[in-house]
Amino acid sequence: MMNVAFHQLAFLSRLIYESIQLPVFYPVSNTDNSINVESSDDAKNSMYFSHQIEIARLLMEQSIHTRIPSIHKTIFDESYITIPFSAEEQTVSAIIIGPVYSYPRSAEENKNSYHEPDLDDKLQQYVQQLSHVNNKRLYHICILAFYLLNGVWLDISDVISSDFLIVDENNSIRNKVDLIISKQRELSEYKDGRDLEERVLQIIRDGDKTKLLSMSFFSAASHFEEGGLLAKYSQLRNRKNLSICTITLACRAAVEGGLYAEIAYMISDHHIQHIEQLSDIKAVEYATFNALVDFVERVSKAKRKHLSKAISLCQEYINKHIYQNVNLTILADLTHLKPNYLSQKFKKETGITISNFIQMEKVEESKKLLLLTTDSIHSIALRLSFYDQTHFIKIFQKHTGATPGRYRRENKLR
C-alpha cells in the first residue's frame, strides 16, 4: 500500500473527528503496528486510553477480513465502529470510531450491569464521560464514514447487525460455545432451535398475529438461553443482547414481509432503546415479545409483499416524503417509467390510483397528529401539504367518514 493512501487515511480521520466529535483511531502506516488517534486531550489523558488503543488494534486486525462497517461492543458495554479502508479492491486497513455508549447510563446502572457493587471509582468516571450516541446515529456514522473512505454508498441494512466483541485471549468463551454446539447437536436441539427461529421469522413476514400469539414465546426464549450466551459477566446484559439480536432479525423479516424499511429500522431502534433502559430480565423478555407483536401488526397492515419493485419503490418514496407534495411526475422520474404506464401499473397492483394512495397515507399520518398532538387542524393541513384546511377536511372525511375535529373528539380519550 502506498504511503499516499495512509496520508489520505489520516486526513479523512481528522475530517471525520472534526465532524462527529468522537474519537477516531487510524494506522500510521502499513509497515508497523502504530496507531494514531484524533480525540480530545481529556480522552487521550485518561488512564483507560491504553485499553482503547488495544481494542482499536484488535479491531483493525479483524477488519482485514471484512468489506463492510461493523459495530462492536466490549465487555464494558462500549460501542466501537469499524470502517474498512480498501485500495485496489482489497481491504488494507481500517479506522476505528469510539468508544461511545448507545444510551445514557447512570453510575447505578453501571454497577448493576457488571454485578460489581464496588466498581472502581476511576472506571466509573471513565464510563460516565463516554459520549452517548443512539443506535440510529451509529448506523448513519457507519454509512457516511465508509463513503468518505471508499466512495461507496451502503444501505443501512448492511450495518444493522452488531458484532458483540468480548476480549478473550485464551479462547475460553469460544471453547464453551463449541461445547454447547456439540451438546445441542448430540441432543438434536440445534435443528429444532433453528426451525423455531425460522417459524417466528416467517410469522413476522406473513404478518400473522394469531400464530405469533399462539406460540409459547417465553418457553421458546428459555430454550435458547444456554446456547445464546453473549455476555458472560451479566445475565441481564446477556438477555438484552439476545433481545437485540432477536429484534434485528425481526426487523429484517418485517421488511421482507412488506414493511417500509425506514419505518422498520425506526421501530427497531425504538424497541432496542426501550430494552436498554430496563433493569429486570422478565421485563426485557416481555418487551422483546411486544416488539415482535409490533412488527407482525405493522406487516399485516402493510400488505405489500406482492408488489413489483417499481410500485414498492413508489410507496416507499410516498411514505418517506409524506409531508411533501408528491405527484405522478416525481414518481415517474424515480422509477424511470412513463407516467401513464406507471399510473396503470400502480392501479393494477394495488387496486387504487396513485392520488388515492397518497391521500390515504396523508390521512393516516394526520390521524396520528390529531390524537398525539394539540396542533390545530389548520396547522396539520399545512404540515401535510394539503391545499388548505377545507381541502384537508374534505379528503379526511372522504376516507374516514368523519371530519378531523370529530375524529379527534371521539378518539382522543380511547
Side-chain angles (χ1 to χ4, degrees):
M1 178 67 186
M2 298 171 58
N3 288 334
V4 64
F6 278 86
H7 176 75
Q8 177 189 13
L9 192 59
F11 170 76
L12 291 174
S13 298
R14 288 191 290 271
L15 183 64
I16 291 170
Y17 168 71
E18 292 298 333
S19 300
I20 63 177
Q21 290 296 296
L22 297 175
V24 180
F25 298 83
Y26 58 95
V28 175
S29 70
N30 65 328
T31 57
D32 57 34
N33 206 23
S34 300
I35 292 179
N36 208 339
V37 62
E38 298 295 330
S39 183
S40 66
D41 290 338
D42 289 343
K44 293 178 181 178
N45 293 332
S46 166
M47 67 177 294
Y48 291 94
F49 183 66
S50 60
H51 152 80
Q52 295 177 357
I53 287 286
E54 289 306 312
I55 294 294
R57 183 172 287 113
L58 175 63
L59 289 174
M60 282 182 187
E61 291 173 359
Q62 294 179 354
S63 69
I64 298 298
H65 306 292
T66 183
R67 299 292 297 273
I68 60 174
S70 301
I71 300 173
H72 306 259
K73 285 193 178 182
T74 72
I75 195 170
F76 295 120
D77 209 20
E78 308 148 293
S79 290
Y80 286 84
I81 294 174
T82 303
I83 309 293
F85 178 52
S86 300
E88 299 177 359
E89 300 184 355
Q90 181 180 354
T91 302
V92 295
S93 190
I95 67 168
I96 311 300
I97 302 173
V100 299
Y101 273 131
S102 57
Y103 67 101
R105 300 171 62 95
S106 65
E108 191 62 31
E109 283 179 309
N110 288 326
K111 290 180 180 180
N112 291 338
S113 293
Y114 308 131
H115 284 205
E116 294 288 346
D118 299 321
L119 194 64
D120 184 85
D121 289 340
K122 291 180 179 178
L123 177 56
Q124 285 277 17
Q125 184 178 1
Y126 164 69
V127 297
Q128 285 294 103
Q129 75 180 14
L130 293 182
S131 298
H132 162 228
V133 179
N134 65 36
N135 289 315
K136 187 175 182 180
R137 187 180 169 214
L138 282 178
Y139 303 143
H140 289 169
I141 289 173
C142 282
I143 293 170
L144 179 60
F146 188 82
Y147 177 75
L148 286 175
L149 264 61
N150 301 287
V152 177
W153 281 115
L154 296 177
D155 186 80
I156 195 169
S157 61
D158 293 321
V159 292
I160 201 73
S161 294
S162 299
D163 296 319
F164 295 90
L165 170 72
I166 299 179
V167 180
D168 183 30
E169 295 178 353
N170 297 320
N171 288 325
S172 59
I173 293 176
R174 177 177 294 183
N175 293 339
K176 181 177 181 180
V177 170
D178 287 340
L179 208 60
I180 291 170
I181 292 173
S182 296
K183 176 183 175 183
Q184 289 182 338
R185 282 175 174 167
E186 182 181 359
L187 299 176
S188 300
E189 293 177 348
Y190 187 78
K191 183 177 183 299
D192 292 342
R194 289 293 301 165
D195 288 347
L196 177 61
E197 175 186 299
E198 182 53 39
R199 286 205 307 274
V200 173
L201 294 180
Q202 190 58 51
I203 286 171
I204 294 172
R205 293 185 194 103
D206 294 338
D208 194 334
K209 184 178 177 180
T210 302
K211 280 189 178 179
L212 181 65
L213 294 179
S214 69
M215 294 188 69
S216 178
F217 172 79
F218 295 111
S219 63
S222 64
H223 177 87
F224 291 111
E225 188 164 342
E226 183 179 11
L229 188 63
L230 297 177
K232 183 179 179 180
Y233 56 90
S234 165
Q235 286 299 316
L236 176 60
R237 182 68 258 168
N238 180 56
R239 173 53 61 194
K240 287 183 178 182
N241 289 349
L242 288 170
S243 294
I244 290 169
C245 290
T246 300
I247 291 172
T248 298
L249 290 172
C251 175
R252 289 177 173 175
V255 173
E256 292 169 5
L259 188 61
Y260 295 123
E262 185 174 6
I263 288 179
Y265 296 135
M266 285 192 291
I267 293 169
S268 172
D269 189 51
H270 166 77
H271 285 294
I272 288 173
Q273 288 190 42
H274 171 63
I275 283 171
E276 290 287 20
Q277 301 291 339
L278 300 176
S279 56
D280 177 73
I281 290 178
K282 187 59 68 175
V284 172
E285 291 177 344
Y286 276 105
T288 305
F289 187 65
N290 285 335
L292 298 185
V293 172
D294 191 5
F295 279 121
V296 164
E297 289 179 338
R298 292 175 186 271
V299 169
S300 177
K301 292 177 182 178
K303 297 179 181 177
R304 300 175 58 249
K305 198 172 183 179
H306 65 287
L307 299 178
S308 64
K309 184 176 180 180
I311 303 307
S312 181
L313 185 61
C314 286
Q315 290 192 351
E316 292 268 2
Y317 185 88
I318 292 167
N319 181 269
K320 187 175 181 180
H321 298 84
I322 197 65
Y323 287 88
Q324 300 172 23
N325 187 16
V326 180
N327 56 47
L328 179 58
T329 303
I330 293 174
L331 298 176
D333 290 341
L334 177 70
T335 57
H336 305 292
L337 297 175
K338 292 182 178 180
N340 287 341
Y341 175 74
L342 175 61
S343 182
Q344 293 170 5
K345 185 176 178 64
F346 194 99
K347 175 72 180 293
K348 182 178 180 181
E349 292 190 22
T350 66
I352 59 174
T353 64
I354 290 177
S355 60
N356 264 339
F357 180 81
I358 294 173
Q359 288 178 3
M360 290 170 60
E361 290 290 290
K362 287 182 179 290
V363 166
E364 286 302 311
E365 187 69 12
S366 70
K367 286 181 181 179
K368 299 174 188 176
L369 298 178
L370 287 167
L371 299 183
L372 302 177
T373 76
T374 57
D375 293 354
S376 68
I377 293 173
H378 175 72
S379 173
I380 292 173
L382 292 180
R383 288 176 64 182
L384 287 166
S385 299
F386 284 94
Y387 300 135
D388 52 33
Q389 181 174 325
T390 302
H391 182 235
F392 170 51
I393 293 173
K394 179 181 177 181
I395 297 300
F396 190 93
Q397 194 164 17
K398 170 186 170 184
H399 290 283
T400 67
T403 64
R406 177 183 164 192
Y407 178 85
R408 173 178 265 174
R409 287 192 303 273
E410 293 181 351
N411 294 276
K412 189 78 170 178
L413 299 179
R414 285 187 180 181

